[in-house]
Protein backbone atom coordinates (compact mmCIF):
# COMPACT_ATOMS: atom_id res chain seq x y z
CA UNK A 1 0.00 0.00 0.00
CA UNK A 2 1.20 3.49 -0.79
CA UNK A 3 2.28 5.85 2.00
CA UNK A 4 -0.28 8.34 3.23
CA UNK A 5 -0.21 11.78 1.70
CA UNK A 6 -2.87 13.20 4.01
CA UNK A 7 -2.20 16.64 5.48
CA UNK A 8 -1.16 16.87 9.11
CA UNK A 9 -3.78 18.08 11.56
CA UNK A 10 -2.93 21.50 12.86
CA UNK A 11 -4.03 21.15 16.49
CA UNK A 12 -3.05 18.02 18.36
CA UNK A 13 -4.75 17.71 21.76
CA UNK A 14 -2.23 17.05 24.49
CA UNK A 15 -4.31 14.21 25.86
CA UNK A 16 -3.63 12.18 22.73
CA UNK A 17 0.05 12.17 23.54
CA UNK A 18 -0.48 9.77 26.43
CA UNK A 19 0.69 6.26 25.72
CA UNK A 20 -1.86 3.74 24.53
CA UNK A 21 -2.46 1.43 27.49
CA UNK A 22 -1.10 -2.09 27.29
CA UNK A 23 -3.99 -3.69 29.22
CA UNK A 24 -5.71 -4.81 26.02
CA UNK A 25 -2.51 -6.37 24.77
CA UNK A 26 -2.21 -8.34 28.01
CA UNK A 27 -5.79 -9.58 27.76
CA UNK A 28 -5.41 -10.46 24.09
CA UNK A 29 -2.17 -12.33 24.67
CA UNK A 30 -3.66 -14.21 27.61
CA UNK A 31 -6.74 -15.24 25.68
CA UNK A 32 -4.76 -16.20 22.60
CA UNK A 33 -2.52 -18.51 24.67
CA UNK A 34 0.51 -16.52 23.59
CA UNK A 35 3.61 -17.60 25.44
CA UNK A 36 3.78 -14.31 27.32
CA UNK A 37 0.08 -14.13 28.06
CA UNK A 38 0.14 -15.95 31.37
CA UNK A 39 3.25 -14.12 32.54
CA UNK A 40 1.68 -10.80 31.57
CA UNK A 41 -1.55 -11.60 33.42
CA UNK A 42 0.41 -12.65 36.51
CA UNK A 43 2.56 -9.54 36.38
CA UNK A 44 -0.47 -7.28 36.09
CA UNK A 45 -2.89 -9.00 38.48
CA UNK A 46 -0.87 -11.34 40.73
CA UNK A 47 -0.92 -8.87 43.62
CA UNK A 48 -4.68 -8.32 43.45
CA UNK A 49 -5.33 -12.08 43.50
CA UNK A 50 -2.80 -12.69 46.24
CA UNK A 51 -4.14 -9.85 48.40
CA UNK A 52 -7.62 -11.37 48.31
CA UNK A 53 -6.16 -14.80 49.22
CA UNK A 54 -3.91 -13.42 51.95
CA UNK A 55 -6.76 -11.56 53.62
CA UNK A 56 -9.43 -14.24 53.21
CA UNK A 57 -7.42 -17.44 53.79
CA UNK A 58 -3.99 -16.42 55.10
CA UNK A 59 -2.65 -19.89 55.93
CA UNK A 60 -2.62 -21.13 52.31
CA UNK A 61 -2.71 -17.84 50.41
CA UNK A 62 0.30 -18.63 48.21
CA UNK A 63 -1.13 -22.04 47.27
CA UNK A 64 -4.49 -20.53 46.34
CA UNK A 65 -2.84 -17.80 44.24
CA UNK A 66 -0.95 -20.51 42.37
CA UNK A 67 -4.14 -22.54 41.83
CA UNK A 68 -5.99 -19.48 40.55
CA UNK A 69 -3.46 -18.75 37.80
CA UNK A 70 -3.17 -22.39 36.77
CA UNK A 71 -6.98 -22.71 36.63
CA UNK A 72 -7.31 -19.40 34.77
CA UNK A 73 -4.71 -20.44 32.21
CA UNK A 74 -6.47 -23.74 31.55
CA UNK A 75 -9.83 -21.96 31.23
CA UNK A 76 -8.49 -19.01 29.20
CA UNK A 77 -10.87 -19.79 26.33
CA UNK A 78 -13.73 -18.88 28.63
CA UNK A 79 -12.41 -15.39 29.33
CA UNK A 80 -14.47 -12.89 27.32
CA UNK A 81 -13.11 -9.32 27.44
CA UNK A 82 -16.54 -8.01 26.43
CA UNK A 83 -17.97 -9.22 29.71
CA UNK A 84 -15.41 -7.42 31.86
CA UNK A 85 -11.74 -6.89 32.57
CA UNK A 86 -9.30 -9.74 33.17
CA UNK A 87 -8.70 -8.55 36.75
CA UNK A 88 -12.37 -9.07 37.60
CA UNK A 89 -12.51 -12.47 35.90
CA UNK A 90 -9.49 -13.59 37.94
CA UNK A 91 -11.15 -12.33 41.14
CA UNK A 92 -14.21 -14.45 40.28
CA UNK A 93 -11.99 -17.55 40.10
CA UNK A 94 -10.16 -16.55 43.28
CA UNK A 95 -13.41 -16.32 45.26
CA UNK A 96 -14.34 -19.87 44.27
CA UNK A 97 -10.90 -21.19 45.21
CA UNK A 98 -11.07 -19.50 48.63
CA UNK A 99 -14.48 -20.99 49.41
CA UNK A 100 -13.13 -24.38 48.21
CA UNK A 101 -10.16 -24.03 50.55
CA UNK A 102 -12.47 -23.53 53.54
CA UNK A 103 -14.52 -26.54 52.50
CA UNK A 104 -11.36 -28.64 52.24
CA UNK A 105 -10.39 -27.47 55.73
CA UNK A 106 -13.84 -28.47 56.95
CA UNK A 107 -14.08 -24.94 58.31
CA UNK A 108 -16.76 -22.32 57.98
CA UNK A 109 -15.77 -19.09 56.21
CA UNK A 110 -15.25 -16.46 58.93
CA UNK A 111 -17.97 -13.87 58.88
CA UNK A 112 -15.65 -10.93 58.51
CA UNK A 113 -12.01 -10.59 57.65
CA UNK A 114 -11.35 -7.16 59.11
CA UNK A 115 -8.58 -7.01 61.63
CA UNK A 116 -10.55 -5.65 64.57
CA UNK A 117 -13.46 -8.06 64.03
CA UNK A 118 -15.71 -5.59 65.79
CA UNK A 119 -18.57 -5.61 63.33
CA UNK A 120 -19.21 -9.32 63.05
CA UNK A 121 -22.56 -10.03 61.47
CA UNK A 122 -24.38 -13.27 60.89
CA UNK A 123 -24.46 -14.06 57.20
CA UNK A 124 -26.92 -16.14 55.27
CA UNK A 125 -24.48 -17.43 52.67
CA UNK A 126 -20.98 -18.61 53.41
CA UNK A 127 -19.79 -16.88 50.24
CA UNK A 128 -20.91 -13.45 51.41
CA UNK A 129 -17.79 -12.49 53.39
CA UNK A 130 -15.55 -13.46 50.46
CA UNK A 131 -17.81 -11.52 48.07
CA UNK A 132 -17.77 -8.46 50.30
CA UNK A 133 -14.00 -8.38 50.57
CA UNK A 134 -13.57 -9.07 46.84
CA UNK A 135 -15.99 -6.25 45.98
CA UNK A 136 -14.07 -3.76 48.11
CA UNK A 137 -10.79 -4.72 46.45
CA UNK A 138 -12.42 -4.50 43.00
CA UNK A 139 -13.76 -1.04 43.76
CA UNK A 140 -10.28 0.23 44.63
CA UNK A 141 -8.93 -1.57 41.55
CA UNK A 142 -11.54 -0.01 39.25
CA UNK A 143 -11.12 3.47 40.75
CA UNK A 144 -7.38 3.27 40.12
CA UNK A 145 -8.05 2.82 36.38
CA UNK A 146 -10.00 6.09 36.16
CA UNK A 147 -8.31 9.27 34.96
CA UNK A 148 -7.30 11.77 37.65
CA UNK A 149 -10.36 14.05 37.63
CA UNK A 150 -13.14 11.44 37.75
CA UNK A 151 -11.17 9.41 40.28
CA UNK A 152 -10.87 12.40 42.60
CA UNK A 153 -14.58 13.17 42.17
CA UNK A 154 -15.56 9.57 42.96
CA UNK A 155 -13.37 9.57 46.05
CA UNK A 156 -14.94 12.79 47.31
CA UNK A 157 -18.42 11.33 46.76
CA UNK A 158 -17.65 7.98 48.39
CA UNK A 159 -15.12 8.60 51.09
CA UNK A 160 -15.81 12.22 52.02
CA UNK A 161 -19.55 11.79 51.54
CA UNK A 162 -19.91 15.09 49.67
CA UNK A 163 -22.95 16.00 47.56
CA UNK A 164 -22.55 16.71 43.85
CA UNK A 165 -22.89 20.42 44.55
CA UNK A 166 -20.21 20.34 47.27
CA UNK A 167 -17.85 18.44 44.97
CA UNK A 168 -18.40 20.96 42.17
CA UNK A 169 -17.66 23.79 44.56
CA UNK A 170 -14.59 22.19 46.10
CA UNK A 171 -13.00 21.02 42.84
CA UNK A 172 -14.09 23.93 40.64
CA UNK A 173 -15.46 21.43 38.14
CA UNK A 174 -18.87 22.27 36.58
CA UNK A 175 -21.80 20.46 38.23
CA UNK A 176 -22.77 18.76 34.95
CA UNK A 177 -19.27 17.34 34.60
CA UNK A 178 -19.30 16.11 38.20
CA UNK A 179 -22.58 14.33 37.55
CA UNK A 180 -21.43 12.72 34.32
CA UNK A 181 -18.10 11.69 35.87
CA UNK A 182 -19.98 9.99 38.70
CA UNK A 183 -22.41 8.33 36.32
CA UNK A 184 -19.60 6.96 34.17
CA UNK A 185 -17.51 6.08 37.20
CA UNK A 186 -20.36 4.01 38.65
CA UNK A 187 -20.69 2.28 35.28
CA UNK A 188 -16.98 1.39 35.39
CA UNK A 189 -17.34 -0.01 38.92
CA UNK A 190 -20.40 -2.02 37.92
CA UNK A 191 -18.47 -3.46 34.98
CA UNK A 192 -15.80 -4.78 37.39
CA UNK A 193 -18.24 -6.00 40.03
CA UNK A 194 -20.52 -7.83 37.61
CA UNK A 195 -17.64 -9.56 35.83
CA UNK A 196 -16.48 -11.08 39.13
CA UNK A 197 -19.88 -12.18 40.37
CA UNK B 1 -25.64 11.85 47.24
CA UNK B 2 -28.45 12.30 44.70
CA UNK B 3 -27.58 9.51 42.33
CA UNK B 4 -30.51 7.90 40.55
CA UNK B 5 -30.71 4.17 41.02
CA UNK B 6 -29.65 2.63 37.75
CA UNK B 7 -31.54 -0.64 37.79
CA UNK B 8 -32.71 -3.42 40.01
CA UNK B 9 -29.60 -5.55 39.60
CA UNK B 10 -27.44 -6.71 42.47
CA UNK B 11 -25.18 -3.80 41.56
CA UNK B 12 -27.59 -0.90 41.43
CA UNK B 13 -26.08 2.55 41.88
CA UNK B 14 -27.21 2.55 45.51
CA UNK B 15 -25.67 -0.86 46.15
CA UNK B 16 -22.36 0.19 44.60
CA UNK B 17 -22.31 3.43 46.57
CA UNK B 18 -22.98 1.52 49.80
CA UNK B 19 -20.15 -0.90 49.00
CA UNK B 20 -17.78 1.89 48.07
CA UNK B 21 -18.53 3.67 51.36
CA UNK B 22 -17.53 0.52 53.24
CA UNK B 23 -14.09 0.56 51.58
CA UNK B 24 -11.31 1.15 54.08
CA UNK B 25 -7.83 2.54 53.41
CA UNK B 26 -6.30 -0.93 53.78
CA UNK B 27 -8.40 -2.14 50.84
CA UNK B 28 -6.14 -0.19 48.50
CA UNK B 29 -3.06 -2.03 49.79
CA UNK B 30 -1.75 -4.89 47.70
CA UNK B 31 0.31 -7.84 48.87
CA UNK B 32 2.67 -9.23 46.24
CA UNK B 33 2.73 -13.01 46.02
CA UNK B 34 5.97 -14.66 47.19
CA UNK B 35 8.46 -15.25 44.34
CA UNK B 36 8.03 -18.97 44.82
CA UNK B 37 4.45 -18.83 43.53
CA UNK B 38 5.48 -17.97 39.98
CA UNK B 39 8.22 -20.63 39.99
CA UNK B 40 5.65 -23.17 41.16
CA UNK B 41 3.25 -22.19 38.38
CA UNK B 42 5.96 -22.67 35.77
CA UNK B 43 6.99 -25.98 37.33
CA UNK B 44 3.38 -27.24 37.32
CA UNK B 45 2.97 -26.36 33.66
CA UNK B 46 6.27 -28.01 32.80
CA UNK B 47 5.18 -31.24 34.48
CA UNK B 48 1.93 -31.10 32.58
CA UNK B 49 3.63 -30.55 29.23
CA UNK B 50 6.18 -33.29 29.96
CA UNK B 51 3.43 -35.78 30.67
CA UNK B 52 1.59 -34.72 27.53
CA UNK B 53 4.78 -35.18 25.52
CA UNK B 54 5.33 -38.61 27.06
CA UNK B 55 1.79 -39.58 26.16
CA UNK B 56 2.32 -38.27 22.66
CA UNK B 57 5.51 -40.32 22.21
CA UNK B 58 3.54 -43.49 22.85
CA UNK B 59 1.59 -42.81 19.72
CA UNK B 60 3.19 -43.39 16.35
CA UNK B 61 2.27 -39.96 15.08
CA UNK B 62 3.90 -37.22 17.04
CA UNK B 63 1.46 -34.32 17.23
CA UNK B 64 3.12 -30.97 16.83
CA UNK B 65 0.91 -29.27 19.36
CA UNK B 66 1.67 -26.72 21.99
CA UNK B 67 5.27 -27.47 22.87
CA UNK B 68 6.09 -23.93 23.80
CA UNK B 69 6.29 -24.69 27.50
CA UNK B 70 9.65 -26.43 27.00
CA UNK B 71 12.48 -25.66 29.40
CA UNK B 72 14.15 -23.06 27.24
CA UNK B 73 10.86 -21.31 26.66
CA UNK B 74 10.16 -21.36 30.37
CA UNK B 75 13.38 -19.51 31.02
CA UNK B 76 12.48 -16.89 28.49
CA UNK B 77 9.04 -16.49 30.04
CA UNK B 78 10.52 -16.11 33.50
CA UNK B 79 12.80 -13.40 32.16
CA UNK B 80 9.93 -11.79 30.31
CA UNK B 81 7.93 -11.26 33.48
CA UNK B 82 10.52 -8.69 34.48
CA UNK B 83 10.17 -6.82 31.23
CA UNK B 84 6.49 -6.97 30.63
CA UNK B 85 5.12 -3.62 31.65
CA UNK B 86 4.31 -1.72 28.52
CA UNK B 87 5.00 -4.63 26.23
CA UNK B 88 2.73 -4.91 23.27
CA UNK B 89 1.95 -8.40 22.28
CA UNK B 90 0.91 -9.38 18.82
CA UNK B 91 -2.23 -11.31 18.30
CA UNK B 92 -3.23 -12.66 14.96
CA UNK B 93 -6.86 -13.07 14.25
CA UNK B 94 -7.50 -13.63 10.61
CA UNK B 95 -11.06 -14.72 10.29
CA UNK B 96 -13.92 -13.09 8.49
CA UNK B 97 -16.94 -14.68 6.96
CA UNK B 98 -16.74 -12.59 3.80
CA UNK B 99 -14.00 -14.31 1.83
CA UNK B 100 -13.27 -11.30 -0.38
CA UNK B 101 -12.16 -9.35 2.71
CA UNK B 102 -8.83 -9.61 4.48
CA UNK B 103 -8.53 -8.70 8.13
CA UNK B 104 -5.31 -6.72 8.25
CA UNK B 105 -5.39 -5.94 11.98
CA UNK B 106 -7.71 -5.69 14.93
CA UNK B 107 -7.96 -3.66 18.12
CA UNK B 108 -9.86 -3.90 21.37
CA UNK B 109 -11.02 -0.41 22.38
CA UNK B 110 -11.58 0.56 26.01
CA UNK B 111 -11.65 3.78 28.03
CA UNK B 112 -8.54 2.91 30.01
CA UNK B 113 -6.38 5.95 30.63
CA UNK B 114 -8.74 8.23 28.72
CA UNK B 115 -10.31 11.49 29.94
CA UNK B 116 -13.86 10.21 29.49
CA UNK B 117 -14.95 6.98 31.20
CA UNK B 118 -17.45 4.49 29.80
CA UNK B 119 -18.41 0.91 30.53
CA UNK B 120 -18.69 0.27 26.79
CA UNK B 121 -15.91 -1.45 24.90
CA UNK B 122 -15.49 -1.99 21.20
CA UNK B 123 -13.76 -4.22 18.75
CA UNK B 124 -12.29 -2.50 15.70
CA UNK B 125 -11.15 -4.45 12.66
CA UNK B 126 -9.06 -3.09 9.82
CA UNK B 127 -10.47 -4.83 6.75
CA UNK B 128 -9.38 -4.58 3.13
CA UNK B 129 -10.85 -5.74 -0.16
CA UNK B 130 -8.57 -5.13 -3.15
CA UNK B 131 -7.59 -1.45 -2.98
CA UNK B 132 -10.22 -0.22 -0.54
CA UNK B 133 -10.03 -0.59 3.21
CA UNK B 134 -12.39 0.24 6.05
CA UNK B 135 -12.69 -0.05 9.81
CA UNK B 136 -15.47 -2.27 11.13
CA UNK B 137 -16.48 -1.15 14.63
CA UNK B 138 -18.55 -3.36 16.93
CA UNK B 139 -19.55 -1.81 20.24
CA UNK B 140 -20.87 -3.50 23.38
CA UNK B 141 -22.87 -0.31 23.89
CA UNK B 142 -22.81 3.21 22.55
CA UNK B 143 -20.84 5.46 24.95
CA UNK B 144 -22.86 8.28 26.44
CA UNK B 145 -22.09 11.47 24.51
CA UNK B 146 -25.03 13.54 25.76
CA UNK B 147 -25.95 16.08 23.09
CA UNK B 148 -22.56 15.71 21.40
CA UNK B 149 -21.44 13.36 18.64
CA UNK B 150 -19.14 10.36 18.78
CA UNK B 151 -16.46 10.47 16.11
CA UNK B 152 -14.14 7.72 14.90
CA UNK B 153 -10.47 8.47 14.19
CA UNK B 154 -7.33 6.69 13.13
CA UNK B 155 -4.14 8.29 14.44
CA UNK B 156 -0.47 7.74 13.74
CA UNK B 157 2.01 6.72 16.42
CA UNK B 158 3.51 10.11 17.19
CA UNK B 159 0.08 11.77 16.94
CA UNK B 160 1.25 14.12 14.20
CA UNK B 161 -1.42 12.97 11.77
CA UNK B 162 -4.98 11.68 12.06
CA UNK B 163 -8.06 11.05 9.96
CA UNK B 164 -11.69 11.36 10.96
CA UNK B 165 -13.67 8.43 9.62
CA UNK B 166 -17.08 9.79 10.54
CA UNK B 167 -19.75 9.95 13.21
CA UNK B 168 -20.49 6.79 15.15
CA UNK B 169 -24.17 6.13 15.85
CA UNK B 170 -24.08 2.32 15.92
CA UNK B 171 -21.88 -0.59 14.88
CA UNK B 172 -20.72 -0.12 11.33
CA UNK B 173 -18.13 0.15 8.61
CA UNK B 174 -16.15 3.33 8.10
CA UNK B 175 -14.25 3.80 4.86
CA UNK B 176 -10.59 4.69 5.08
CA UNK B 177 -8.95 7.23 2.79
CA UNK B 178 -6.71 5.70 0.09
CA UNK B 179 -3.24 4.93 1.36
CA UNK B 180 -4.08 4.85 5.07
CA UNK B 181 -2.57 1.67 6.53
CA UNK B 182 -2.85 0.06 9.94
CA UNK B 183 0.94 0.28 10.06
CA UNK B 184 0.98 4.05 9.66
CA UNK B 185 -2.19 4.75 11.68
CA UNK B 186 -2.18 2.14 14.46
CA UNK B 187 -4.31 4.05 16.99
CA UNK B 188 -8.08 3.80 16.63
CA UNK B 189 -10.01 6.29 18.75
CA UNK B 190 -13.58 7.39 19.41
CA UNK B 191 -13.98 10.91 20.77
CA UNK B 192 -16.85 13.03 21.98
CA UNK B 193 -17.14 15.99 19.62
CA UNK B 194 -19.19 19.07 20.48
CA UNK B 195 -21.19 20.48 17.55
CA UNK B 196 -19.12 23.64 17.52
CA UNK B 197 -17.98 23.73 13.91
CA UNK B 198 -14.40 22.82 14.90
CA UNK B 199 -13.43 19.80 12.78
CA UNK B 200 -10.32 18.97 14.85
CA UNK B 201 -10.20 16.35 17.58
CA UNK B 202 -11.72 17.62 20.83
CA UNK B 203 -9.29 15.70 23.05
CA UNK B 204 -12.29 14.05 24.76
CA UNK B 205 -11.48 10.46 23.84
CA UNK B 206 -13.84 7.85 25.24
CA UNK B 207 -12.62 4.62 23.61
CA UNK B 208 -9.23 3.75 22.21
CA UNK B 209 -7.22 0.78 21.05
CA UNK B 210 -4.16 -0.13 19.05
CA UNK B 211 -4.30 -2.07 15.84
CA UNK B 212 -2.24 -5.17 16.25
CA UNK B 213 -0.77 -6.52 13.03
CA UNK B 214 -0.23 -10.21 12.44
Amino acid sequence: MSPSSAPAVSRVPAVLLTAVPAANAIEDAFRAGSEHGLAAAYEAHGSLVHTLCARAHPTTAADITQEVFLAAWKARDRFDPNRGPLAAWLVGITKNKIVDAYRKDGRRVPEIFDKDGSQVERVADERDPVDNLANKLLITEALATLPERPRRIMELAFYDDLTHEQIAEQTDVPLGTVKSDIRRGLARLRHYLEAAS
Amino acid sequence: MNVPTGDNSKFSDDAIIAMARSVEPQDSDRIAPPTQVWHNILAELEVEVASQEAAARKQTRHPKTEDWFSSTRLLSIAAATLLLVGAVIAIVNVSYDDSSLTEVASAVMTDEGLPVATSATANARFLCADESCFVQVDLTALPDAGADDLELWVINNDVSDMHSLGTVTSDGRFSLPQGVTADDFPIVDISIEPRDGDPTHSGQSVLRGSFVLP
Side-chain angles (χ1 to χ4, degrees), chain A residues 38 41-42 45-46 49 65-73 90, chain B residues 41:
Chain A
L38 177 61
Y42 185 83
H45 308 301
V49 166
T65 301
Q66 179 181 328
E67 276 179 47
V68 168
F69 279 93
L70 285 167
W73 183 245
L90 290 169
Chain B
I41 290 170

Side-chain angles (χ1 to χ4, degrees), chain A residues 174-189:
Chain A
L175 183 59
T177 309
V178 169
K179 286 181 174 173
S180 59
D181 276 353
I182 288 178
R183 193 173 68 245
R184 291 179 184 128
L186 284 170
R188 171 85 61 102
L189 263 50

